[in-house]
Structure formats: structure tokens, C-alpha cells
Amino acid sequence: DEQASNVRFYIGQNANNPNMDSFYRALELKVHEQYNPQFLENDIALVRLQTNVTGVDTIDYNVANLVPHEGEEAFYIGYGAVEGINESGSGVKRSTSFPISQVYAEQFESAYNGHGTCFGDSGGPALLTINGVLKVIGVTSAGAACNGPNCDPCKTATTSTRVDAFAAWIADKLDEPAPSCQ
């Protein structure tokens, strides 16, 4: 896949001063067939790497309904900027927690409360402990609209794609059995 050959994943703390052994080339990209970037619909994709990553714990994706977890603190990880006006400080792995404020059919929103995501965090995971097990519940998609010269777009709500809403699609693309609806 020509598109996949241009994609590399970095595993480490600081992508600004990387060890070249920390980059992993993509072998295959599977973008949702109905992805609509204008409205951020079906904003999910899977990537198969050319080589296995070692020394990193894997985290299963959530297949259970996220709605009962509204109000709980999700944990976000990304390499994004620390402020959005000058888009500075990106490339360093950071994490933060802030609550899920609203769950929609395919997405959920987390209101900014002194913590948030920024440019470069898109595609990063949102994690939550469900029934004692850490799960990937979402993929960071976008920040809320921000208008005005002093408006920092990194101090707005974060919209994430719900992985439970796409659990059957993920299982199909991974050639796994569909998740149970029970």
C-alpha cells in the first residue's frame, strides 16, 4: 500500500530527538469506508505495522457501552502542542485526565477543565478502567471550535471517536469474531 509506506509510528518519550530504532513503518492502513473529514464521521482507522513492537504492553479496546461511564475521568496520551495559539511544544509524550462530559452515538466529548488535548494529539488513545481493566475507549479526534485572536484552541473541549461504537467494524478488519452485545 503506497499510502502506508509513508506512515511511521514513533514509540518513545520525545519525538523531537528520536532514536531511529523507535520508528515503525506501517504495512497497511484500514480507514473506515465512510470516513467524512468535514463532519468527523466514522473517524477511525487501523494500522498494521511492518514489524512487531516489543517491550510495550498492549491494551484491549473497549466493546462495552460507554454511556454508563459518562462523568468518569478518561486518561489521554499524545504528542501534541502545549498551547494552540503558537502551536508550540509538540513532540513530547504527555498525558492528562479529564472527565467524559457527554457521550454521543459515535463520539464522546470531554470538557476542558484546565487540562485538554491539542494539535498533534489526534489519533492518540483515550483510556478508562472498566470493571478493573484498562481499556482503549476512544481515539482523539478534534478540539472544539475556537474563535477570536486570543482563543487558545487547546483550551476547548475534546471530541473522541468511541471505539465501542465501531467494535464490530474493528473486529471485522482484524478478522476476529464480532464482539458480544451482552
Side-chain angles (χ1 to χ4, degrees), residues 150-163:
N150 296 322
C151 183
D152 186 340
C154 299
K155 294 182 178 179
T156 63
T158 295
T159 300
S160 298
T161 299
R162 288 175 59 177
V163 296

Side-chain angles (χ1 to χ4, degrees), residues 5 22 37 54 58 64 74-77 81 89 97 102 119 127 132 140 145 153 162 177:
S5 66
S22 300
T54 58
T58 59
F75 182 70
Y76 296 82
I77 302 171
S97 296
Q102 183 74 46
F119 303 109
L127 309 169
T140 302
R162 288 175 59 177

Side-chain angles (χ1 to χ4, degrees), residues 29-37 39-47 61-62 106-108 122-125 136-142 159-171 173-174:
L29 302 176
K30 295 183 180 186
V31 177
H32 195 285
E33 299 81 359
Q34 279 89 42
Y35 170 58
N36 181 333
F39 297 108
L40 296 177
E41 295 171 332
N42 303 299
D43 189 13
I44 194 162
L46 297 174
V47 179
Y61 64 95
N62 177 47
E106 295 182 355
Q107 301 171 323
F108 63 93
S122 295
V136 176
I137 60 164
V139 181
T140 302
S141 184
T159 300
S160 298
T161 299
R162 288 175 59 177
V163 296
D164 63 309
F166 293 94
W169 180 85
I170 294 169
K173 297 302 175 195
L174 296 177

Side-chain angles (χ1 to χ4, degrees), residues 6-69:
N6 295 323
V7 175
R8 295 184 303 164
F9 276 78
Y10 175 74
I11 308 287
Q13 296 300 315
N14 188 341
N16 296 316
N17 299 307
N19 172 341
M20 294 315 286
D21 294 338
S22 300
F23 283 98
Y24 294 83
R25 289 198 176 276
L27 176 66
E28 182 180 15
L29 302 176
K30 295 183 180 186
V31 177
H32 195 285
E33 299 81 359
Q34 279 89 42
Y35 170 58
N36 181 333
Q38 182 179 0
F39 297 108
L40 296 177
E41 295 171 332
N42 303 299
D43 189 13
I44 194 162
L46 297 174
V47 179
R48 183 182 315 273
L49 301 177
Q50 288 183 1
T51 57
N52 291 333
V53 176
T54 58
V56 176
D57 293 331
T58 59
I59 302 172
D60 287 337
Y61 64 95
N62 177 47
V63 298
N65 187 349
L66 188 62
V67 172
H69 300 283

